[in-house]
mmCIF file of all heavy atoms in Angstrom:
data_model
loop_
_atom_site.group_PDB
_atom_site.id
_atom_site.type_symbol
_atom_site.label_atom_id
_atom_site.label_comp_id
_atom_site.label_asym_id
_atom_site.label_seq_id
_atom_site.Cartn_x
_atom_site.Cartn_y
_atom_site.Cartn_z
ATOM 1 N N LEU A 27 79.282 88.359 148.585
ATOM 2 C CA LEU A 27 80.567 88.618 147.904
ATOM 3 C C LEU A 27 81.805 88.700 148.890
ATOM 4 O O LEU A 27 82.749 88.119 148.633
ATOM 5 C CB LEU A 27 80.396 89.792 147.107
ATOM 6 C CG LEU A 27 79.349 89.874 145.868
ATOM 7 C CD1 LEU A 27 79.367 91.177 145.118
ATOM 8 C CD2 LEU A 27 79.667 88.556 144.997
ATOM 9 N N THR A 28 81.612 89.388 149.886
ATOM 10 C CA THR A 28 82.630 89.585 150.897
ATOM 11 C C THR A 28 83.012 88.210 151.385
ATOM 12 O O THR A 28 84.279 87.902 151.511
ATOM 13 C CB THR A 28 82.248 90.558 152.064
ATOM 14 O OG1 THR A 28 81.897 91.900 151.491
ATOM 15 C CG2 THR A 28 83.340 90.625 153.036
ATOM 16 N N ALA A 29 82.062 87.388 151.778
ATOM 17 C CA ALA A 29 82.317 86.079 152.313
ATOM 18 C C ALA A 29 83.009 85.214 151.323
ATOM 19 O O ALA A 29 83.756 84.256 151.624
ATOM 20 C CB ALA A 29 81.069 85.420 152.719
ATOM 21 N N CYS A 30 82.857 85.449 150.014
ATOM 22 C CA CYS A 30 83.464 84.775 148.985
ATOM 23 C C CYS A 30 84.823 85.278 148.569
ATOM 24 O O CYS A 30 85.471 84.755 147.640
ATOM 25 C CB CYS A 30 82.596 84.655 147.685
ATOM 26 S SG CYS A 30 81.088 83.577 147.973
ATOM 27 N N GLY A 31 85.286 86.270 149.234
ATOM 28 C CA GLY A 31 86.487 86.765 148.943
ATOM 29 C C GLY A 31 86.622 87.988 148.089
ATOM 30 O O GLY A 31 87.801 88.491 147.745
ATOM 31 N N TYR A 32 85.544 88.610 147.710
ATOM 32 C CA TYR A 32 85.492 89.879 146.885
ATOM 33 C C TYR A 32 85.697 91.143 147.738
ATOM 34 O O TYR A 32 85.299 91.161 148.918
ATOM 35 C CB TYR A 32 84.293 89.945 146.069
ATOM 36 C CG TYR A 32 84.162 88.798 145.065
ATOM 37 C CD1 TYR A 32 83.382 87.775 145.259
ATOM 38 C CD2 TYR A 32 84.743 88.981 143.777
ATOM 39 C CE1 TYR A 32 83.313 86.714 144.288
ATOM 40 C CE2 TYR A 32 84.510 88.029 142.782
ATOM 41 C CZ TYR A 32 83.857 86.840 143.039
ATOM 42 O OH TYR A 32 83.655 85.898 142.157
ATOM 43 N N GLU A 33 86.331 92.185 147.172
ATOM 44 C CA GLU A 33 86.424 93.500 147.711
ATOM 45 C C GLU A 33 85.185 94.310 147.215
ATOM 46 O O GLU A 33 85.106 94.693 146.056
ATOM 47 C CB GLU A 33 87.689 94.202 147.398
ATOM 48 C CG GLU A 33 87.927 95.464 148.018
ATOM 49 C CD GLU A 33 89.167 96.234 147.645
ATOM 50 O OE1 GLU A 33 90.098 95.504 147.135
ATOM 51 O OE2 GLU A 33 89.275 97.406 147.870
ATOM 52 N N VAL A 34 84.245 94.592 148.152
ATOM 53 C CA VAL A 34 83.038 95.235 147.669
ATOM 54 C C VAL A 34 82.833 96.664 148.429
ATOM 55 O O VAL A 34 83.066 96.858 149.579
ATOM 56 C CB VAL A 34 81.815 94.382 148.133
ATOM 57 C CG1 VAL A 34 80.513 94.958 147.726
ATOM 58 C CG2 VAL A 34 81.994 92.933 147.704
ATOM 59 N N THR A 35 82.335 97.574 147.558
ATOM 60 C CA THR A 35 82.090 98.967 148.020
ATOM 61 C C THR A 35 80.567 99.365 147.687
ATOM 62 O O THR A 35 80.204 99.259 146.543
ATOM 63 C CB THR A 35 83.012 99.924 147.333
ATOM 64 O OG1 THR A 35 84.384 99.684 147.630
ATOM 65 C CG2 THR A 35 82.711 101.349 147.787
ATOM 66 N N PRO A 36 79.805 99.622 148.737
ATOM 67 C CA PRO A 36 78.476 100.121 148.406
ATOM 68 C C PRO A 36 78.509 101.554 147.886
ATOM 69 O O PRO A 36 79.337 102.334 148.371
ATOM 70 C CB PRO A 36 77.778 99.933 149.720
ATOM 71 C CG PRO A 36 78.874 100.101 150.783
ATOM 72 C CD PRO A 36 80.115 99.466 150.143
ATOM 73 N N CYS A 37 77.642 101.890 146.929
ATOM 74 C CA CYS A 37 77.636 103.203 146.321
ATOM 75 C C CYS A 37 76.141 103.623 146.125
ATOM 76 O O CYS A 37 75.231 102.799 146.049
ATOM 77 C CB CYS A 37 78.270 103.229 145.077
ATOM 78 S SG CYS A 37 80.126 102.919 145.139
ATOM 79 N N MET A 38 75.934 104.921 145.931
ATOM 80 C CA MET A 38 74.514 105.489 145.749
ATOM 81 C C MET A 38 74.262 105.703 144.332
ATOM 82 O O MET A 38 75.183 106.002 143.575
ATOM 83 C CB MET A 38 74.453 106.695 146.680
ATOM 84 C CG MET A 38 74.497 106.542 148.113
ATOM 85 S SD MET A 38 74.300 108.006 149.041
ATOM 86 C CE MET A 38 74.427 107.511 150.779
ATOM 87 N N SER A 39 72.871 105.811 144.064
ATOM 88 C CA SER A 39 72.577 105.928 142.671
ATOM 89 C C SER A 39 71.283 106.661 142.605
ATOM 90 O O SER A 39 70.498 106.714 143.522
ATOM 91 C CB SER A 39 72.457 104.545 141.929
ATOM 92 O OG SER A 39 71.782 104.714 140.668
ATOM 93 N N ARG A 40 71.037 107.415 141.462
ATOM 94 C CA ARG A 40 69.726 107.995 141.126
ATOM 95 C C ARG A 40 69.111 107.231 139.951
ATOM 96 O O ARG A 40 69.885 106.799 138.990
ATOM 97 C CB ARG A 40 69.972 109.497 140.668
ATOM 98 C CG ARG A 40 70.748 110.356 141.554
ATOM 99 C CD ARG A 40 70.785 111.739 140.896
ATOM 100 N NE ARG A 40 71.794 112.549 141.656
ATOM 101 C CZ ARG A 40 71.553 113.296 142.741
ATOM 102 N NH1 ARG A 40 70.425 113.289 143.232
ATOM 103 N NH2 ARG A 40 72.583 114.000 143.302
ATOM 104 N N ILE A 41 67.852 106.971 140.053
ATOM 105 C CA ILE A 41 67.169 106.264 138.927
ATOM 106 C C ILE A 41 66.695 107.375 137.941
ATOM 107 O O ILE A 41 65.859 108.163 138.258
ATOM 108 C CB ILE A 41 65.931 105.468 139.444
ATOM 109 C CG1 ILE A 41 66.566 104.372 140.503
ATOM 110 C CG2 ILE A 41 65.266 104.760 138.383
ATOM 111 C CD1 ILE A 41 67.550 103.428 139.940
ATOM 112 N N LEU A 42 67.154 107.220 136.705
ATOM 113 C CA LEU A 42 66.811 108.320 135.701
ATOM 114 C C LEU A 42 65.925 107.651 134.598
ATOM 115 O O LEU A 42 65.438 108.434 133.750
ATOM 116 C CB LEU A 42 68.132 108.691 134.922
ATOM 117 C CG LEU A 42 69.189 109.474 135.874
ATOM 118 C CD1 LEU A 42 70.288 109.886 135.005
ATOM 119 C CD2 LEU A 42 68.520 110.615 136.618
ATOM 120 N N ARG A 43 65.645 106.473 134.662
ATOM 121 C CA ARG A 43 64.623 105.878 133.723
ATOM 122 C C ARG A 43 63.321 106.549 133.709
ATOM 123 O O ARG A 43 62.779 106.795 134.819
ATOM 124 C CB ARG A 43 64.511 104.365 134.046
ATOM 125 C CG ARG A 43 63.843 103.619 132.988
ATOM 126 C CD ARG A 43 63.728 102.110 133.396
ATOM 127 N NE ARG A 43 63.076 101.345 132.300
ATOM 128 C CZ ARG A 43 62.377 100.186 132.638
ATOM 129 N NH1 ARG A 43 62.424 99.638 133.833
ATOM 130 N NH2 ARG A 43 61.837 99.525 131.622
ATOM 131 N N GLU A 44 62.884 106.915 132.604
ATOM 132 C CA GLU A 44 61.611 107.717 132.338
ATOM 133 C C GLU A 44 61.542 109.036 132.926
ATOM 134 O O GLU A 44 60.535 109.604 133.135
ATOM 135 C CB GLU A 44 60.429 106.847 132.903
ATOM 136 C CG GLU A 44 60.308 105.449 132.230
ATOM 137 C CD GLU A 44 59.108 104.694 132.802
ATOM 138 O OE1 GLU A 44 58.490 105.121 133.785
ATOM 139 O OE2 GLU A 44 58.872 103.592 132.235
ATOM 140 N N CYS A 45 62.776 109.574 133.277
ATOM 141 C CA CYS A 45 62.945 111.071 133.662
ATOM 142 C C CYS A 45 63.250 111.927 132.562
ATOM 143 O O CYS A 45 64.109 111.464 131.689
ATOM 144 C CB CYS A 45 63.957 111.142 134.850
ATOM 145 S SG CYS A 45 63.438 110.389 136.296
ATOM 146 N N ASP A 46 62.767 113.165 132.498
ATOM 147 C CA ASP A 46 63.223 114.082 131.463
ATOM 148 C C ASP A 46 64.475 114.704 131.864
ATOM 149 O O ASP A 46 64.968 114.537 133.001
ATOM 150 C CB ASP A 46 62.123 115.044 131.143
ATOM 151 C CG ASP A 46 61.687 115.910 132.313
ATOM 152 O OD1 ASP A 46 62.645 116.351 133.048
ATOM 153 O OD2 ASP A 46 60.509 116.139 132.609
ATOM 154 N N ASP A 47 65.110 115.440 130.952
ATOM 155 C CA ASP A 47 66.424 116.034 131.151
ATOM 156 C C ASP A 47 66.375 117.101 132.215
ATOM 157 O O ASP A 47 67.509 117.495 132.737
ATOM 158 C CB ASP A 47 66.978 116.556 129.810
ATOM 159 C CG ASP A 47 67.217 115.410 128.759
ATOM 160 O OD1 ASP A 47 67.462 114.305 129.317
ATOM 161 O OD2 ASP A 47 67.270 115.739 127.579
ATOM 162 N N GLU A 48 65.260 117.744 132.500
ATOM 163 C CA GLU A 48 65.218 118.821 133.342
ATOM 164 C C GLU A 48 64.927 118.432 134.807
ATOM 165 O O GLU A 48 65.146 119.255 135.753
ATOM 166 C CB GLU A 48 64.090 119.796 132.948
ATOM 167 C CG GLU A 48 64.403 120.331 131.525
ATOM 168 C CD GLU A 48 63.165 121.333 131.218
ATOM 169 O OE1 GLU A 48 62.273 121.552 132.001
ATOM 170 O OE2 GLU A 48 63.289 121.953 130.118
ATOM 171 N N PHE A 49 64.631 117.165 135.014
ATOM 172 C CA PHE A 49 64.346 116.719 136.465
ATOM 173 C C PHE A 49 65.488 115.923 136.932
ATOM 174 O O PHE A 49 65.975 114.985 136.336
ATOM 175 C CB PHE A 49 63.067 115.842 136.467
ATOM 176 C CG PHE A 49 62.709 115.251 137.781
ATOM 177 C CD1 PHE A 49 62.433 116.096 138.838
ATOM 178 C CD2 PHE A 49 62.773 113.923 137.986
ATOM 179 C CE1 PHE A 49 62.077 115.566 140.094
ATOM 180 C CE2 PHE A 49 62.566 113.393 139.217
ATOM 181 C CZ PHE A 49 62.149 114.187 140.303
ATOM 182 N N VAL A 50 65.980 116.323 138.211
ATOM 183 C CA VAL A 50 67.014 115.466 138.791
ATOM 184 C C VAL A 50 66.403 114.728 139.969
ATOM 185 O O VAL A 50 66.009 115.293 140.966
ATOM 186 C CB VAL A 50 68.108 116.428 139.345
ATOM 187 C CG1 VAL A 50 69.181 115.587 140.042
ATOM 188 C CG2 VAL A 50 68.779 117.295 138.213
ATOM 189 N N PRO A 51 66.214 113.529 139.882
ATOM 190 C CA PRO A 51 65.597 112.725 140.871
ATOM 191 C C PRO A 51 66.548 112.462 142.032
ATOM 192 O O PRO A 51 67.814 112.582 141.902
ATOM 193 C CB PRO A 51 65.241 111.353 140.312
ATOM 194 C CG PRO A 51 66.303 111.186 139.278
ATOM 195 C CD PRO A 51 66.495 112.552 138.656
ATOM 196 N N PRO A 52 65.990 112.232 143.307
ATOM 197 C CA PRO A 52 66.785 112.102 144.462
ATOM 198 C C PRO A 52 67.607 110.792 144.411
ATOM 199 O O PRO A 52 67.238 109.842 143.676
ATOM 200 C CB PRO A 52 65.874 112.141 145.605
ATOM 201 C CG PRO A 52 64.452 111.716 145.061
ATOM 202 C CD PRO A 52 64.471 112.239 143.628
ATOM 203 N N ILE A 53 68.601 110.666 145.170
ATOM 204 C CA ILE A 53 69.236 109.445 145.397
ATOM 205 C C ILE A 53 68.334 108.462 146.104
ATOM 206 O O ILE A 53 67.801 108.750 147.119
ATOM 207 C CB ILE A 53 70.650 109.589 146.205
ATOM 208 C CG1 ILE A 53 71.583 110.408 145.437
ATOM 209 C CG2 ILE A 53 71.162 108.257 146.638
ATOM 210 C CD1 ILE A 53 72.895 110.907 146.217
ATOM 211 N N SER A 54 68.068 107.278 145.384
ATOM 212 C CA SER A 54 67.140 106.353 145.892
ATOM 213 C C SER A 54 67.507 104.906 145.715
ATOM 214 O O SER A 54 66.668 103.978 145.838
ATOM 215 C CB SER A 54 65.751 106.669 145.190
ATOM 216 O OG SER A 54 65.842 106.492 143.845
ATOM 217 N N HIS A 55 68.694 104.685 145.366
ATOM 218 C CA HIS A 55 69.051 103.325 145.004
ATOM 219 C C HIS A 55 70.442 103.048 145.477
ATOM 220 O O HIS A 55 71.316 103.930 145.561
ATOM 221 C CB HIS A 55 69.034 103.220 143.394
ATOM 222 C CG HIS A 55 69.294 101.740 142.905
ATOM 223 N ND1 HIS A 55 68.467 100.729 143.248
ATOM 224 C CD2 HIS A 55 70.289 101.304 142.093
ATOM 225 C CE1 HIS A 55 68.967 99.627 142.621
ATOM 226 N NE2 HIS A 55 70.009 100.032 141.898
ATOM 227 N N ARG A 56 70.718 101.724 145.746
ATOM 228 C CA ARG A 56 72.063 101.330 146.148
ATOM 229 C C ARG A 56 72.521 100.326 145.137
ATOM 230 O O ARG A 56 71.857 99.431 144.660
ATOM 231 C CB ARG A 56 71.957 100.652 147.445
ATOM 232 C CG ARG A 56 73.217 99.829 147.816
ATOM 233 C CD ARG A 56 73.298 99.085 149.113
ATOM 234 N NE ARG A 56 74.515 98.244 149.167
ATOM 235 C CZ ARG A 56 75.138 97.747 150.357
ATOM 236 N NH1 ARG A 56 74.600 98.166 151.462
ATOM 237 N NH2 ARG A 56 76.186 97.065 150.288
ATOM 238 N N ILE A 57 73.819 100.466 144.785
ATOM 239 C CA ILE A 57 74.513 99.523 143.899
ATOM 240 C C ILE A 57 75.803 98.980 144.703
ATOM 241 O O ILE A 57 76.049 99.478 145.810
ATOM 242 C CB ILE A 57 75.010 100.062 142.576
ATOM 243 C CG1 ILE A 57 76.066 101.148 142.757
ATOM 244 C CG2 ILE A 57 73.731 100.558 141.787
ATOM 245 C CD1 ILE A 57 76.933 101.280 141.576
ATOM 246 N N ASN A 58 76.425 98.022 144.038
ATOM 247 C CA ASN A 58 77.740 97.663 144.583
ATOM 248 C C ASN A 58 78.772 97.764 143.511
ATOM 249 O O ASN A 58 78.665 97.541 142.412
ATOM 250 C CB ASN A 58 77.756 96.193 145.120
ATOM 251 C CG ASN A 58 76.830 95.938 146.321
ATOM 252 O OD1 ASN A 58 76.894 96.776 147.259
ATOM 253 N ND2 ASN A 58 75.935 94.965 146.301
ATOM 254 N N LEU A 59 80.037 98.149 143.935
ATOM 255 C CA LEU A 59 81.176 98.169 143.100
ATOM 256 C C LEU A 59 82.166 97.091 143.731
ATOM 257 O O LEU A 59 82.276 97.002 144.885
ATOM 258 C CB LEU A 59 81.840 99.501 143.061
ATOM 259 C CG LEU A 59 81.179 100.657 142.419
ATOM 260 C CD1 LEU A 59 82.044 101.776 142.335
ATOM 261 C CD2 LEU A 59 80.693 100.232 140.998
ATOM 262 N N VAL A 60 82.718 96.269 142.740
ATOM 263 C CA VAL A 60 83.644 95.175 143.203
ATOM 264 C C VAL A 60 84.915 95.441 142.528
ATOM 265 O O VAL A 60 85.039 95.783 141.281
ATOM 266 C CB VAL A 60 83.087 93.779 142.798
ATOM 267 C CG1 VAL A 60 84.181 92.756 143.022
ATOM 268 C CG2 VAL A 60 81.827 93.435 143.503
ATOM 269 N N LYS A 61 86.013 95.389 143.292
ATOM 270 C CA LYS A 61 87.434 95.707 142.805
ATOM 271 C C LYS A 61 88.164 94.317 142.627
ATOM 272 O O LYS A 61 88.227 93.582 143.610
ATOM 273 C CB LYS A 61 88.063 96.636 143.692
ATOM 274 C CG LYS A 61 89.399 97.166 143.134
ATOM 275 C CD LYS A 61 90.038 98.273 144.027
ATOM 276 C CE LYS A 61 91.268 98.834 143.454
ATOM 277 N NZ LYS A 61 91.766 99.846 144.322
ATOM 278 N N MET A 62 88.664 94.110 141.481
ATOM 279 C CA MET A 62 89.548 93.029 141.136
ATOM 280 C C MET A 62 90.605 93.344 140.297
ATOM 281 O O MET A 62 90.419 93.989 139.254
ATOM 282 C CB MET A 62 88.734 91.906 140.449
ATOM 283 C CG MET A 62 87.661 91.125 141.345
ATOM 284 S SD MET A 62 86.884 89.769 140.469
ATOM 285 C CE MET A 62 85.915 90.696 139.211
ATOM 286 N N ASP A 63 91.879 93.083 140.699
ATOM 287 C CA ASP A 63 93.100 93.301 139.901
ATOM 288 C C ASP A 63 93.092 94.769 139.564
ATOM 289 O O ASP A 63 93.467 95.216 138.406
ATOM 290 C CB ASP A 63 93.068 92.474 138.675
ATOM 291 C CG ASP A 63 93.173 90.999 138.996
ATOM 292 O OD1 ASP A 63 93.828 90.593 140.026
ATOM 293 O OD2 ASP A 63 92.554 90.196 138.311
ATOM 294 N N GLY A 64 92.789 95.679 140.447
ATOM 295 C CA GLY A 64 92.837 97.128 140.250
ATOM 296 C C GLY A 64 91.747 97.687 139.406
ATOM 297 O O GLY A 64 91.628 98.940 139.246
ATOM 298 N N GLN A 65 90.865 96.932 138.907
ATOM 299 C CA GLN A 65 89.660 97.344 138.195
ATOM 300 C C GLN A 65 88.353 97.303 138.929
ATOM 301 O O GLN A 65 88.041 96.236 139.587
ATOM 302 C CB GLN A 65 89.587 96.553 136.894
ATOM 303 C CG GLN A 65 88.304 96.824 135.991
ATOM 304 C CD GLN A 65 88.372 98.298 135.490
ATOM 305 O OE1 GLN A 65 89.337 98.633 134.717
ATOM 306 N NE2 GLN A 65 87.356 99.021 135.692
ATOM 307 N N GLN A 66 87.506 98.327 138.964
ATOM 308 C CA GLN A 66 86.303 98.303 139.554
ATOM 309 C C GLN A 66 85.214 97.838 138.638
ATOM 310 O O GLN A 66 85.168 98.179 137.400
ATOM 311 C CB GLN A 66 85.850 99.647 140.121
ATOM 312 C CG GLN A 66 86.545 100.072 141.431
ATOM 313 C CD GLN A 66 86.092 101.296 141.998
ATOM 314 O OE1 GLN A 66 86.015 102.307 141.339
ATOM 315 N NE2 GLN A 66 85.741 101.229 143.204
ATOM 316 N N TYR A 67 84.162 97.121 139.153
ATOM 317 C CA TYR A 67 83.075 96.667 138.355
ATOM 318 C C TYR A 67 81.748 96.952 138.880
ATOM 319 O O TYR A 67 81.577 96.942 140.168
ATOM 320 C CB TYR A 67 83.199 95.060 138.242
ATOM 321 C CG TYR A 67 84.302 94.628 137.471
ATOM 322 C CD1 TYR A 67 85.572 94.384 138.028
ATOM 323 C CD2 TYR A 67 84.254 94.279 136.175
ATOM 324 C CE1 TYR A 67 86.662 93.899 137.395
ATOM 325 C CE2 TYR A 67 85.403 93.751 135.469
ATOM 326 C CZ TYR A 67 86.532 93.537 136.120
ATOM 327 O OH TYR A 67 87.642 93.137 135.312
ATOM 328 N N PHE A 68 80.834 97.415 138.054
ATOM 329 C CA PHE A 68 79.423 97.703 138.491
ATOM 330 C C PHE A 68 78.778 96.463 138.663
ATOM 331 O O PHE A 68 78.699 95.570 137.784
ATOM 332 C CB PHE A 68 78.743 98.477 137.455
ATOM 333 C CG PHE A 68 77.328 98.794 137.567
ATOM 334 C CD1 PHE A 68 76.760 99.792 138.196
ATOM 335 C CD2 PHE A 68 76.466 97.822 137.144
ATOM 336 C CE1 PHE A 68 75.409 100.033 138.469
ATOM 337 C CE2 PHE A 68 75.108 98.004 137.229
ATOM 338 C CZ PHE A 68 74.556 99.123 137.902
ATOM 339 N N CYS A 69 78.028 96.236 139.902
ATOM 340 C CA CYS A 69 77.172 95.054 140.093
ATOM 341 C C CYS A 69 75.912 95.402 140.705
ATOM 342 O O CYS A 69 75.868 96.253 141.767
ATOM 343 C CB CYS A 69 78.004 94.161 141.085
ATOM 344 S SG CYS A 69 79.571 93.602 140.580
ATOM 345 N N ASP A 70 74.776 94.870 140.250
ATOM 346 C CA ASP A 70 73.466 95.242 140.789
ATOM 347 C C ASP A 70 72.577 93.973 140.585
ATOM 348 O O ASP A 70 72.332 93.492 139.595
ATOM 349 C CB ASP A 70 72.912 96.452 140.030
ATOM 350 C CG ASP A 70 71.679 97.046 140.735
ATOM 351 O OD1 ASP A 70 71.135 96.380 141.569
ATOM 352 O OD2 ASP A 70 71.303 98.264 140.359
ATOM 353 N N VAL A 71 72.091 93.599 141.816
ATOM 354 C CA VAL A 71 71.010 92.512 141.881
ATOM 355 C C VAL A 71 69.694 93.030 142.424
ATOM 356 O O VAL A 71 68.905 92.231 142.757
ATOM 357 C CB VAL A 71 71.474 91.227 142.637
ATOM 358 C CG1 VAL A 71 72.773 90.691 141.969
ATOM 359 C CG2 VAL A 71 71.826 91.599 144.139
ATOM 360 N N GLY A 72 69.503 94.327 142.613
ATOM 361 C CA GLY A 72 68.319 94.789 143.384
ATOM 362 C C GLY A 72 67.654 95.944 142.640
ATOM 363 O O GLY A 72 66.983 96.711 143.264
ATOM 364 N N TYR A 73 67.668 95.959 141.361
ATOM 365 C CA TYR A 73 66.863 96.871 140.529
ATOM 366 C C TYR A 73 65.734 96.210 139.921
ATOM 367 O O TYR A 73 65.900 95.247 139.126
ATOM 368 C CB TYR A 73 67.726 97.667 139.582
ATOM 369 C CG TYR A 73 66.962 98.621 138.641
ATOM 370 C CD1 TYR A 73 66.278 99.770 139.320
ATOM 371 C CD2 TYR A 73 67.007 98.596 137.366
ATOM 372 C CE1 TYR A 73 65.591 100.654 138.622
ATOM 373 C CE2 TYR A 73 66.241 99.453 136.524
ATOM 374 C CZ TYR A 73 65.622 100.503 137.134
ATOM 375 O OH TYR A 73 64.899 101.523 136.357
ATOM 376 N N GLY A 74 64.548 96.667 140.032
ATOM 377 C CA GLY A 74 63.386 96.048 139.398
ATOM 378 C C GLY A 74 63.078 96.429 137.941
ATOM 379 O O GLY A 74 61.959 96.526 137.597
#
């Protein structure tokens, strides 16, 4: 994305799928945010 001209910010994430409300899982995932025209966008190609 950077090579194609996008402004990219890596960010951290917790996977909450199949977790109950009382359990806080550790940060274990990376996503990317892309900024265009002042707006940030969630982007992810690495979640199974």
Side-chain angles (χ1 to χ4, degrees):
L27 294 181
T28 299
C30 290
Y32 293 94
E33 181 181 343
V34 187
T35 299
C37 297
M38 294 182 179
S39 174
R40 309 179 192 274
I41 301 302
L42 299 183
R43 192 181 181 199
E44 300 179 355
C45 291
D46 59 47
D47 294 336
E48 298 181 358
F49 176 67
V50 179
I53 291 170
S54 62
H55 184 62
R56 169 184 170 152
I57 66 155
N58 292 314
L59 295 183
V60 172
K61 189 173 183 179
M62 290 184 292
D63 301 321
Q65 176 64 57
Q66 285 189 306
Y67 293 85
F68 171 94
C69 304
D70 194 340
V71 298
Y73 178 59

